[in-house]
Amino acid sequence: MKLKSLLLGSAAVLALSTGAQAADPVVEFVSLGVCDALGMSGLTIESDDTCLLISGGVQYDYTVENFSFGASDVADTESDLNWDLAFEAQTQTDDGVAVAYISFDEDGTDDINVNEAYAQFILSNGTALSAGLRDSIFDTEIFDDTYGNDKHDWFDFEIDNEEAFGEEFAATTGGHGIQLEAVVADGFTVLASLEDLEGDGTAGLGVAYDASGISAEAGVLFGNLYSNADPLGSTDQQVNYYGKVSAEFDNFAARAGFIADDDGNWVANVGADATFDMFSLKADALFNDDEDFAIMGEGSFDATETVAVYLGAGYEELASVEIFTVYGGVDVDVTETITAFAELGYTDPEGLDDYVYGAGGVTYAPGGNFETSLEGFVASNENYQVVFSMEKTF
């Protein structure tokens, strides 16, 4: 009910604002200047000194699949509806910009969740102090990429302080917190934060750099601050360390990162890209303290102006299980708004039957932040997946 009232109130303000602009050109001039001065564009509602930006999106996925490795031929179906809606109000003051931000989302259970809700003050040099419910200011994600379209996801990686390559790190970030992002020099920002204050608590300190084609960040997180009655003497505290760097040159890019804790657990990655007129290459490697590793590489070349051909391979050894894959495919620009792909691959997971797979799909993106797609996957081990997707953002 509160969300409904908020939406109706926003619509009423928008209607009043529109009427005022039509009757009084002076008001129209002031309204246009507020959001322009604050650098806010999109769906906005304006007053004399405040700009309200409304953004969001809706995504629907319908999936039919069977990943039982031959144990059952009964298909699973899944209908996923996800949406998000965000309101950001900014007001210019003599000392800086005052911000209020609140966002909602729906996680597929028909429950409306408050995703973020915080107040913030931003000085003219970019230094910001925030308090409330907010995502972490520490970017601990050191690797996020997928090699090939094998929907078993053997080579689909996302590595940060919560999801790691065979490792677990205890420091929880985000949630209720007090966060300072202090710009101390050109390209340098100092990060200091108390996060997860509604839970066990995490304190963090870091530094970030972004200039001249180089982006880097390093920090330390002190987790489980309030895990017992004596926070400073807690034996349950865990210290996490992270660092990452990426550098871009004319035709090359390189990256590296690590996450570690005071118990000796760690995971690290290195990778590089090379892009030329008609072809490109990329390669990545992951390692951890248990001697697990993964090595992946992919190359593509432009056969024509609208057709690109790619080949890739990967080898992974995780928890003493070896997995090998090799694949090749084509990406096609059918028209200016329609793209398609097709891929054929072979995967050999230790302890399971090896299999050949095929994957393909078509995407229609006419503009306006709208996109719809249909993708399919089938493997010789009797596993398959079909996904219809449609989304619009604003």
Side-chain angles (χ1 to χ4, degrees), residues 236-258:
D236 296 327
Q237 290 178 13
Q238 185 177 40
V239 182
N240 291 359
Y241 311 91
Y242 74 96
K244 63 180 183 178
V245 60
S246 62
E248 296 183 2
F249 308 98
D250 292 338
N251 298 101
F252 300 94
R255 55 190 167 273
F258 77 92

Side-chain angles (χ1 to χ4, degrees), residues 54-339:
I54 306 173
S55 61
V58 177
Q59 179 175 344
Y60 176 75
D61 298 309
Y62 183 70
T63 303
V64 180
E65 64 183 14
N66 177 23
F67 284 102
S68 57
F69 293 93
S72 172
D73 58 359
V74 177
D76 293 323
T77 61
E78 188 170 350
S79 180
D80 288 327
L81 174 63
N82 295 281
W83 60 264
D84 63 273
L85 183 64
F87 300 86
E88 180 178 0
Q90 292 193 12
T91 304
Q92 182 69 56
T93 73
D94 292 339
D95 297 324
V97 179
V99 180
Y101 183 91
I102 183 169
S103 65
F104 306 88
D105 64 20
E106 192 269 334
D107 58 5
T109 62
D110 295 329
D111 292 330
I112 297 176
N113 306 308
V114 178
N115 188 34
E116 290 185 285
Y118 61 88
Q120 184 181 64
F121 195 82
I122 307 174
L123 299 179
S124 59
N125 72 340
T127 294
L129 177 65
S130 309
L133 173 62
R134 191 185 181 204
D135 291 339
S136 178
I137 61 174
F138 303 107
D139 186 2
T140 62
E141 184 177 85
I142 63 171
F143 185 68
D144 183 6
D145 204 353
T146 301
Y147 278 78
N149 285 282
D150 186 343
K151 298 306 179 182
H152 295 92
D153 294 337
W154 305 118
F155 292 89
D156 182 5
F157 298 100
E158 182 179 357
I159 300 176
D160 55 29
N161 69 301
E162 295 182 358
E163 298 184 33
F165 183 62
E167 300 294 346
E168 295 183 1
F169 301 101
T172 301
T173 55
H176 295 184
I178 304 170
Q179 304 167 327
L180 175 65
E181 301 162 87
V183 178
V184 295
D186 289 342
F188 284 97
T189 302
V190 173
L191 311 171
S193 182
L194 291 172
E195 300 183 354
D196 188 37
L197 295 181
E198 78 280 24
D200 290 330
T202 295
L205 182 64
V207 61
Y209 176 79
D210 189 5
S212 304
I214 299 176
S215 178
E217 183 174 327
V220 57
L221 306 173
F222 300 90
N224 297 332
L225 293 180
Y226 310 122
S227 57
N228 65 17
D230 182 13
L232 297 179
S234 172
T235 58
D236 296 327
Q237 290 178 13
Q238 185 177 40
V239 182
N240 291 359
Y241 311 91
Y242 74 96
K244 63 180 183 178
V245 60
S246 62
E248 296 183 2
F249 308 98
D250 292 338
N251 298 101
F252 300 94
R255 55 190 167 273
F258 77 92
I259 303 175
D261 63 28
D262 54 348
D263 291 328
N265 303 306
W266 59 267
V267 58
N269 80 292
V270 293
D273 299 332
T275 303
F276 303 97
D277 290 338
M278 295 185 63
F279 70 95
S280 62
L281 301 170
K282 71 172 183 176
D284 287 284
L286 304 172
F287 311 90
N288 68 17
D289 61 284
D290 294 323
E291 300 183 355
D292 299 326
F293 67 92
I295 301 175
M296 302 79 66
E298 183 177 300
S300 66
F301 68 91
D302 296 330
T304 68
E305 291 184 355
T306 60
V307 177
V309 179
Y310 61 90
L311 297 170
Y315 179 82
E316 175 182 355
E317 185 174 317
L318 182 61
S320 300
V321 176
E322 300 177 9
I323 304 171
F324 168 77
T325 191
V326 60
Y327 59 89
V330 293
D331 292 317
V332 182
D333 294 330
V334 181
T335 68
E336 291 184 354
T337 60
I338 300 176
T339 59

Side-chain angles (χ1 to χ4, degrees), residues 27-49:
V27 175
E28 180 179 0
F29 173 79
V30 172
S31 295
L32 289 175
V34 173
C35 288
D36 287 344
L38 291 170
M40 302 175 71
S41 61
L43 179 57
T44 58
I45 300 173
E46 302 174 327
S47 67
D48 289 347
D49 61 355

Side-chain angles (χ1 to χ4, degrees), residues 5-16:
S5 300
L6 179 60
L7 291 173
L8 292 175
S10 298
V13 173
L14 180 59
L16 291 173

